[in-house]
Amino acid sequence: MTVMEFFGCTFIAFGPPFAMFYYTIAHDPIRIIILIASAFFWLLSLLLSSIWWAIVTPLKETLVFAVVSSVIFQEVMRFLVYLLLTKAEGGLKRVTETNTSLVDNKHVLAYVSGLGFGIMSGAFALINILADSVGPGTVGLRRDGDSPMFFVTSAITTLCFILLHSCWNVTFYAGVDRRNYGLIAIVFVSHLVASLLTLLNKNHLYWVSILPNYFNLILSAWFAFRVAGGRLKLEDIRRTGLPPVTLNVAD
């Protein structure tokens, strides 16, 4: 039973991201390199936030301080990845002469690096929990009033944050490109709210954090869709009842 729980939670959290990786990234070695580089920068944000947490001794026991610091360092690293990709744009164009869509469309770069950011974030958020789920005797978690939904909730939340990072990256990069600081602020506030909502889990208020975060994901996906050039044709929706989508990949 514990093994079933382990694989179930693993597939919930990493199944959709793995499908995204397989169908959109795995066929292109340059995209794989960018994904790995972005994941490394997320690790740097974790290292820096840990050092900062250790330095500010009076606030060590304050979870809000740790969460806010972590969000700030992650957003700084997101910006540094953007600068790195911008500086490397010329080299990427020379390397990808047979497939210029990667560098011609910066939204693709943003998506790839965002997925790398999210996968590494999800791995660190869930790996220890998955290790504990194997046992012995973890199904149910009745000790000390722990909820039997803890593992499933952790997997669902991890999936949400992986997808959020992919959406946030597209919006953030578009905001920096266009000098639209409103888009950058939206990403930061969305990230901060999503992270702070997870603090409710310590009181077993799982659905109070999950439902708003998935609503946050829908809004973030919509912003990413729009800044990437996506449009819904309302007149076709009225006529057919189906929402045709157009996407300007050269935007």
Side-chain angles (χ1 to χ4, degrees):
M1 189 69 179
T2 55
V3 175
M4 293 173 62
E5 186 174 45
F6 169 83
F7 282 106
C9 292
T10 301
F11 293 149
I12 289 173
F14 298 108
F18 176 79
M20 294 163 64
F21 170 81
Y22 180 79
Y23 286 108
T24 64
I25 296 176
H27 64 279
D28 190 332
I30 300 300
R31 296 187 186 189
I32 295 175
I33 292 172
I34 292 174
L35 182 140
I36 294 173
S38 300
F40 173 74
F41 271 82
W42 187 90
L43 287 176
L44 286 180
S45 74
L46 177 65
L47 174 63
L48 293 176
S49 60
S50 300
I51 293 174
W52 176 246
W53 174 80
I55 292 174
V56 187
T57 307
L59 296 177
K60 271 189 175 183
E61 302 301 323
T62 306
L63 285 177
V64 174
F65 166 75
V67 169
V68 173
S69 299
S70 177
V71 169
I72 292 173
F73 279 110
Q74 287 181 55
E75 295 306 322
V76 170
M77 287 301 164
R78 197 190 306 276
F79 179 67
L80 291 181
V81 174
Y82 168 85
L83 292 180
L84 176 65
L85 293 177
T86 302
K87 294 293 184 182
E89 186 174 353
L92 288 174
K93 286 183 177 179
R94 289 193 294 270
V95 172
T96 59
E97 290 179 353
T98 59
N99 182 15
T100 58
S101 63
L102 175 62
V103 292
D104 289 341
N105 182 10
K106 291 187 176 181
H107 303 307
V108 176
L109 287 173
Y111 158 74
V112 172
S113 60
L115 187 60
F117 231 68
I119 289 175
M120 186 56 67
S121 170
F124 266 80
L126 198 63
I127 193 68
N128 288 333
I129 295 173
L130 290 177
D132 289 340
S133 70
V134 179
T138 56
V139 177
L141 283 179
R142 296 298 182 184
R143 183 177 62 85
D144 296 330
D146 290 325
S147 170
M149 294 296 295
F150 172 73
F151 292 111
V152 174
T153 299
S154 299
I156 293 173
T157 302
T158 298
L159 172 62
C160 182
F161 271 86
I162 294 174
L163 299 178
L164 277 170
H165 274 293
S166 301
C167 298
W168 287 333
N169 238 50
V170 174
T171 305
F172 186 91
Y173 283 23
V176 178
D177 277 333
R178 303 170 187 177
R179 300 296 190 271
N180 187 334
Y181 300 108
L183 292 176
I184 298 173
I186 287 172
V187 171
F188 178 78
V189 172
S190 176
H191 191 177
L192 185 61
V193 170
S195 299
L196 290 175
L197 280 171
T198 61
L199 296 179
L200 297 173
N201 291 339
K202 66 179 181 179
N203 298 321
H204 301 169
L205 299 174
Y206 296 131
W207 293 111
V208 178
S209 67
I210 288 176
L211 292 179
N213 269 339
Y214 271 88
F215 180 71
N216 188 0
L217 174 60
I218 293 172
L219 290 180
S220 298
W222 173 251
F223 273 109
F225 174 72
R226 291 303 299 269
V227 300
R231 298 293 183 270
L232 293 177
K233 296 181 179 179
L234 297 179
E235 63 276 9
D236 290 338
I237 295 176
R238 298 189 190 99
R239 185 174 65 252
T240 65
L242 298 175
V245 174
T246 60
L247 182 62
N248 179 13
V249 296
D251 188 9

